[in-house]
Amino acid sequence: VLGELMDGIKSMIRKPYGCFEQVSSANYPNVLAMELMQETNTLDAKISKSAMSYMDIAYKKLTGYESAGGGFSLYGRSPGRVRLTAYGLMEFIDMKRVYSGVSQEMIDRSARWLYQKRDKKGGWHGTYYNWEKYAATQNVYIVLALAMHGGHDISKELAQAAAEAKESKD
């Protein structure tokens, strides 16, 4: 069983490329594979070396997509996008558990930027890449990212997200 598990993990490891979403799509499995190997005490030197090398590449690429005005966008151009920043925040928090190169200052800066994007009505300012009809789902996602980070009063946004979920049954 352990051999099959390691084969599965080995097949997950990918070199990151492209825009923010593509880099994340390749990197997150690397993060999860490392986390699994660490938690199960099954570190494989070759697999972990590849994963760590790829996480180093991914981290450099992802931090390069931070917008000058704050938050993250597909290619680092302003404005930052709330949805991508929320995703990045969760990824960086998870990544920091297995990759020591993640800057806590960058994580905190991203969380502050997201928190500042609140619309004071329980939602968020910012574009949704023409996914406005999924705003309720994305609002929950942003609440989750800030909850993972901690230290922010998101009770109004959490209540709004719960109300939207109840109403939409989504």
Side-chain angles (χ1 to χ4, degrees):
V1 172
L2 186 58
E4 289 178 18
L5 177 64
M6 295 312 281
D7 286 343
I9 289 173
K10 186 177 180 180
S11 71
M12 290 173 52
I13 306 299
R14 296 279 184 267
K15 185 175 182 178
Y17 64 91
C19 69
F20 187 95
E21 289 174 326
Q22 291 168 321
V23 171
S24 291
S25 293
N27 185 56
Y28 229 140
N30 298 340
V31 171
L32 297 175
M34 282 299 299
E35 190 170 45
L36 178 65
M37 287 189 296
Q38 286 180 358
E39 285 180 9
T40 59
N41 205 20
T42 56
L43 279 175
D44 176 283
K46 187 175 179 183
I47 295 172
S48 62
K49 183 178 179 182
S50 291
M52 295 302 273
S53 171
Y54 291 159
M55 277 190 272
D56 187 55
I57 293 167
Y59 182 72
K60 289 173 182 161
K61 286 181 176 288
L62 290 170
T63 57
Y65 297 138
E66 189 172 11
S67 298
F72 289 87
S73 68
L74 285 177
Y75 296 100
R77 293 182 211 111
S78 292
R81 309 299 182 163
V82 292
R83 183 171 55 102
L84 275 182
T85 303
Y87 185 84
L89 179 60
M90 288 190 283
E91 182 176 4
F92 292 131
I93 289 169
D94 287 343
M95 190 176 182
K96 188 172 173 94
R97 289 195 299 260
V98 296
Y99 176 74
S100 63
V102 177
S103 163
Q104 186 63 46
E105 180 182 314
M106 184 266 310
I107 288 173
D108 294 342
R109 183 173 59 246
S110 299
R112 276 192 310 273
W113 183 86
L114 266 181
Y115 188 70
Q116 291 168 355
K117 291 296 181 180
R118 294 172 304 137
D119 67 7
K120 311 294 188 222
K121 299 178 211 165
W124 309 91
H125 294 293
T127 59
Y128 291 105
Y129 290 133
N130 299 320
W131 287 48
E132 283 81 8
K133 70 180 183 176
Y134 302 109
T137 305
Q138 293 181 68
N139 288 342
V140 170
Y141 197 74
I142 297 164
V143 168
L144 174 61
L146 285 171
M148 284 176 66
H149 180 265
H152 301 280
D153 179 10
I154 52 173
S155 54
K156 188 173 194 172
E157 291 75 23
L158 182 58
Q160 178 66 25
E164 289 172 340
K166 186 176 181 181
E167 181 180 317
S168 69
K169 298 184 182 0
D170 187 349

